[in-house]
Amino acid sequence: QVHNTKFYERVVSGGTLAFGESYMDGWWDCAALDQFFFRVFHHRLHKKLPVFSYNFLLLAIAAKFKNLQTKSRAREVAYKHYDIGNELFRKMLDSRMMYSCGYWENTDNLEEAQIAKLDLICRKLKLEKGMKLLEIGCGWGGFAKYAAESYGVSVTAITISEQQAILARELNEGLPVEIRLQDYRDVSGKFDRVVSIAMLEAVGHRNYREYMEVASRCLTDNGLFLIHTIGGGHDAKTTDPWIDKYIFPNGVIPSASQLSKSWQGLFVLEDWHNFGLYYDPTLMAWLKNFEESWDSIKADYDETFYRMWRYYLCASAATFRARYNQLWHIVLTKRQNMSVYQAVR
């Protein structure tokens, strides 16, 4: 339902950024926003919008000539997204505050899906008591707590978000877990296992190789490295202008070819598991929690934020439902590791 007839001119001249902003401004509505976006992505209708809008060109030029994910720029996503309020995420997510895709193989419940995901990662890493684990991008500390309590490992976990670090330290108090406010490029030490959950999307194509080199440097010769990441179907250097401006500044979804090239000479691919369709129910569960909790948190936000957040969650769910985006678990080892890896599902 279009409420402002200037909507059409605005979108034609401004592309996807104008499309999202016009929704935030209340210029149009849709009773089932997620289903609308599913049809858009399923039929690739977003490709019909102007590609060379002014904002898209600025973003593309910037990505071509400079590193959008330097140490200083990398912190922008923390300020704009992860530090906007722990209470928002506490109400929206599961009890462990896992802000990544759940594993819905044998459940229809968000809480159980996230526990299943955590345990799946631990089993894929073949964790054993006494091991040292590095977590690159720890969120609010939910995985670190689960691994320390359930598998008896010691965890060094890093984040660039001050708000995440505060809550993660509280959550893991008394456990063999160290939460560091640190960029991944500054990590040192040796670990039996390395894991990175929903962080690679913030690394950027210019930095994939350095990210892999850091993991290789920190991993013992017989260790395992697991990456949990959203994956795309083409070699992207930028993201959608609306997403970049309002949700994940400087983020970009990696492709299979970009990642496989980035680890050449460093790692051996042991397992590649895709369960992207499970991100759809994860995001829809977050949307349900967000909408049901809005009255208790809305004093800290406004109606524009509410529409922005709904737009983000619904559009994101649709990209996975339409199989436009995927969710990958990638297990890597060093070539010095002579053990046969038995894949886990």
Side-chain angles (χ1 to χ4, degrees), residues 34 46 135 269:
D34 62 303
H46 59 296
E135 184 180 9
L269 173 63

Side-chain angles (χ1 to χ4, degrees), residues 63-114:
K64 182 175 178 62
F65 292 105
K66 64 181 180 181
N67 186 352
L68 298 180
Q69 295 84 16
T70 60
K71 289 182 183 179
S72 58
R73 291 181 66 93
R75 297 188 65 83
E76 289 182 25
V77 72
Y79 302 143
K80 183 160 284 189
H81 193 84
Y82 299 108
D83 290 349
I84 61 175
N86 280 339
E87 194 61 22
L88 164 66
F89 291 104
R90 198 194 304 270
K91 293 290 181 66
M92 185 179 82
L93 306 176
D94 64 298
S95 64
R96 290 170 175 79
M97 295 182 71
M98 296 307 302
Y99 197 24
S100 55
C101 181
Y103 194 63
W104 297 74
E105 188 71 14
N106 296 305
T107 185
D108 59 0
N109 176 277
L110 176 65
E111 190 76 17
E112 293 176 357
Q114 292 294 11

Side-chain angles (χ1 to χ4, degrees), residues 120-126 192-196 212 219 222-229 259 263 266-275 328-334 337 339-345:
L120 179 67
I121 292 173
C122 291
R123 289 185 292 116
K124 286 184 174 184
L125 285 168
K126 303 188 185 300
D192 303 297
R193 301 289 188 264
V194 178
V195 66
S196 184
M212 296 297 175
L219 189 65
N222 292 319
L224 295 172
F225 175 32
L226 186 145
I227 303 168
H228 171 120
T229 184
L259 293 184
W263 68 58
L266 297 173
F267 292 110
V268 175
L269 173 63
E270 300 288 358
D271 188 35
W272 198 314
H273 181 192
N274 177 24
F275 51 94
W328 296 329
H329 271 187
I330 301 168
V331 179
L332 304 169
T333 60
K334 291 186 174 182
N337 190 329
S339 302
V340 175
Y341 181 80
Q342 299 294 336
V344 175
R345 296 290 185 268

Side-chain angles (χ1 to χ4, degrees), residues 79-324:
Y79 302 143
K80 183 160 284 189
H81 193 84
Y82 299 108
D83 290 349
I84 61 175
N86 280 339
E87 194 61 22
L88 164 66
F89 291 104
R90 198 194 304 270
K91 293 290 181 66
M92 185 179 82
L93 306 176
D94 64 298
S95 64
R96 290 170 175 79
M97 295 182 71
M98 296 307 302
Y99 197 24
S100 55
C101 181
Y103 194 63
W104 297 74
E105 188 71 14
N106 296 305
T107 185
D108 59 0
N109 176 277
L110 176 65
E111 190 76 17
E112 293 176 357
Q114 292 294 11
I115 294 173
K117 185 266 298 296
L118 294 174
D119 201 61
L120 179 67
I121 292 173
C122 291
R123 289 185 292 116
K124 286 184 174 184
L125 285 168
K126 303 188 185 300
L127 295 182
E128 297 178 5
K129 188 175 182 179
M131 283 184 171
K132 294 173 61 180
L133 169 68
L134 170 65
E135 184 180 9
I136 301 175
C138 68
W140 290 274
F143 175 78
K145 178 178 174 66
Y146 185 86
E149 288 182 337
S150 302
Y151 285 83
V153 299
S154 60
V155 184
T156 298
I158 66 170
T159 178
I160 58 171
S161 166
E162 294 182 2
Q163 293 301 310
Q164 285 187 335
I166 291 170
L167 203 57
R169 286 168 183 152
E170 293 176 1
L171 185 68
N172 286 280
E173 187 175 358
L175 293 172
V177 175
E178 178 188 5
I179 305 295
R180 297 180 184 173
L181 193 63
Q182 186 177 43
D183 188 279
Y184 71 92
R185 284 159 282 209
D186 297 328
V187 179
S188 59
K190 282 290 184 181
F191 300 87
D192 303 297
R193 301 289 188 264
V194 178
V195 66
S196 184
I197 304 171
M199 182 271 176
L200 184 55
E201 301 89 337
V203 170
H205 74 284
R206 292 181 184 274
N207 307 301
Y208 293 147
R209 180 66 180 186
E210 185 175 7
Y211 169 90
M212 296 297 175
E213 288 173 344
V214 168
S216 177
R217 181 181 74 220
C218 292
L219 189 65
T220 61
D221 287 348
N222 292 319
L224 295 172
F225 175 32
L226 186 145
I227 303 168
H228 171 120
T229 184
I230 297 171
H234 63 282
D235 293 352
K237 296 181 180 179
T238 62
T239 189
D240 175 81
W242 186 86
I243 290 290
D244 182 76
K245 182 175 181 179
Y246 291 101
I247 306 298
F248 293 112
N250 308 317
V252 61
I253 295 174
S255 71
S257 60
Q258 287 172 322
L259 293 184
S260 60
K261 183 178 181 180
S262 71
W263 68 58
Q264 284 183 12
L266 297 173
F267 292 110
V268 175
L269 173 63
E270 300 288 358
D271 188 35
W272 198 314
H273 181 192
N274 177 24
F275 51 94
L277 286 172
Y278 288 159
Y279 228 140
D280 180 15
T282 302
L283 283 152
M284 295 308 292
W286 293 345
L287 175 65
K288 181 175 182 290
N289 290 343
F290 170 69
E291 292 182 327
E292 290 179 349
S293 302
W294 177 245
D295 285 344
S296 66
I297 61 174
K298 66 181 182 181
D300 296 323
Y301 305 95
D302 58 22
E303 184 65 19
T304 300
F305 178 88
Y306 176 78
R307 293 179 68 87
M308 177 189 78
W309 208 252
R310 287 193 76 250
Y311 187 96
Y312 150 57
L313 293 173
C314 288
S316 297
T319 65
F320 294 98
R321 194 181 306 171
R323 310 216 71 188
Y324 188 78

